[in-house]
Amino acid sequence: MRTDGEKRYTESVELDGTPEGEGRFAATAFDGYPTTPGAHVIHSWHDDQTREESETFDFTNIDHECVTVQIQVGSWPHREDVSSDIRFTKSLGCPDDG
């Protein structure tokens, strides 16, 4: 994660692959990352990619107090618009919003 162009947070995780067709996900949670509003940009890539091939998620244009972001790694056979095997999904709203 970079904030205003400076590295603020780095973490690597190793996930076991899920056999195709099982319909489940392996997951891990990240902690220790900056949580204050700011010009944060997340860069994500896997071992088979260079950093230039990373996918990014930019918080700069999101005007909301709480954002949950998931980084998903896999193939998307039903999504022709997805060109990478890494994608970000987001949810707006704080856990206490009900």
Side-chain angles (χ1 to χ4, degrees):
M1 177 183 277
R2 298 180 79 79
T3 303
D4 296 324
E6 293 185 33
K7 187 187 318 182
R8 294 285 309 277
Y9 174 83
T10 301
E11 185 169 344
S12 296
V13 295
E14 184 173 328
L15 297 174
D16 294 328
T18 301
E20 196 169 327
E22 284 198 13
R24 64 181 177 86
F25 296 96
T28 189
F30 295 94
D31 59 12
Y33 49 85
T35 58
T36 57
H40 306 304
V41 178
I42 298 174
H43 300 275
S44 181
W45 64 93
H46 56 74
D47 286 343
D48 294 338
Q49 292 179 307
T50 65
R51 289 187 184 198
E52 291 77 29
E53 296 173 306
S54 69
E55 289 293 313
T56 61
F57 184 88
D58 189 345
F59 288 88
T60 306
N61 296 322
I62 297 176
D63 186 23
H64 206 279
E65 187 175 322
C66 295
V67 180
T68 300
V69 176
Q70 288 185 343
I71 304 167
Q72 299 175 334
V73 180
S75 59
W76 321 110
H78 305 293
R79 296 281 311 268
E80 293 179 14
D81 61 323
V82 177
S83 61
S84 174
D85 55 0
I86 295 178
R87 72 176 180 172
F88 291 93
T89 60
K90 73 177 183 305
S91 175
L92 302 176
C94 297
D96 296 336
D97 286 350

